Amino acid sequence: TNRSPSPSPSSSPPKPSSSEIYQQLKALNFLGNVLYIAAHPDDENTSLITYFSKEINASSSDFNLLSEQLLHRLKANQPIDSIQLVLAGIPKEELNNQLNSERKKYAFWLNIYNAFIQDILQKNPELYKDRQSFFKAKQIPIAQDTISFATIEHGILRSSQNEFGLGYIPKLFPKKFVRMFSTNKRDFRIHFALNCGAADCPAVAIYQPEKLE
């Protein structure tokens, strides 16, 4: 008798299509928070992420946790492309709603600053030769915008201060992005929390809102 070949033990089960995933999700009565991380940018299913966010009003991430994971992966020399893609696509309003305390704002933006500066300089160390241009260049894709390190440090973390004003001269007309995410109270200790990429900068720490102090 003829027998059909047995499946190979190493064969993977068939992957469901996007439409099959969609139908399975529609059968759910409720879905809360979803953290979606792919191993590689090509694995990112943007349609699925859009569904989580738009169709069932699910929060796709804890963004403070995501900023911590970004640094954890960098320190472990693991890929961070998928996390960067999620951060780049966050709607501004959703990010602003989550960063609803000073602690959350400080922890998130410190992690983002320190992570991106490490990643960018590891890939392109020559950029640091012109430091003034480097810190002002728009090279951090986040919340459907592209911002600079100067925007994070002097705009958001230092509550929209003129970078040459020694902390005493505010900017008169900060940009909308800065107004949305800026801290309300300046904390001069951030000087010891930001890692600017130089050898004598503070060690890179991973900040959590509940353990910020």
Side-chain angles (χ1 to χ4, degrees), residues 45-201:
N45 189 330
T46 54
S47 298
L48 186 59
I49 293 175
T50 301
Y51 174 81
F52 286 147
S53 178
K54 301 296 184 182
E55 297 296 329
I56 55 178
N57 297 318
S59 175
S60 58
S61 302
D62 177 328
F63 299 130
N64 275 104
L65 179 60
L66 204 60
S67 74
E68 296 166 28
Q69 292 175 334
L70 183 64
L71 272 172
H72 278 299
R73 286 196 174 194
L74 269 174
K75 289 191 170 190
N77 293 317
Q78 295 176 345
I80 60 171
D81 308 74
S82 58
I83 296 181
Q84 289 178 320
L85 280 173
V86 174
L87 290 169
I90 301 170
K92 291 181 178 64
E93 294 76 12
E94 186 175 345
L95 180 60
N96 186 46
N97 288 338
Q98 278 206 28
L99 302 182
N100 54 11
S101 71
E102 292 289 279
R103 286 176 174 268
K104 289 182 179 181
K105 289 180 181 179
Y106 273 114
F108 178 83
W109 290 109
L110 285 170
N111 288 338
I112 294 298
Y113 184 104
N114 289 338
F116 272 90
I117 209 164
Q118 298 300 314
D119 180 51
I120 291 172
L121 289 179
Q122 284 176 9
K123 295 174 180 175
N124 302 286
E126 70 281 357
L127 294 176
Y128 206 62
K129 293 178 180 178
D130 186 349
R131 297 189 184 188
Q132 186 173 10
S133 297
F134 174 75
F135 287 105
K136 291 184 177 181
K138 293 183 178 182
Q139 52 191 325
I140 305 170
I142 191 164
Q144 301 177 2
D145 211 327
T146 306
I147 63 174
S148 68
F149 291 106
T151 295
I152 295 178
E153 179 178 359
H154 300 290
I156 296 173
L157 292 173
R158 296 189 187 274
S159 306
S160 193
Q161 291 293 298
N162 186 299
E163 60 185 291
F164 302 110
L166 300 177
Y168 297 101
I169 303 176
K171 283 189 175 181
L172 297 179
F173 304 104
K175 295 181 179 180
K176 182 179 179 180
F177 191 98
V178 171
R179 295 198 307 271
M180 178 175 284
F181 295 109
S182 177
T183 56
N184 297 316
K185 183 179 179 181
R186 294 193 304 277
D187 189 329
F188 292 97
R189 292 178 297 174
I190 67 165
H191 178 77
F192 304 101
L194 293 173
N195 185 295
C196 68
D200 57 349
C201 275

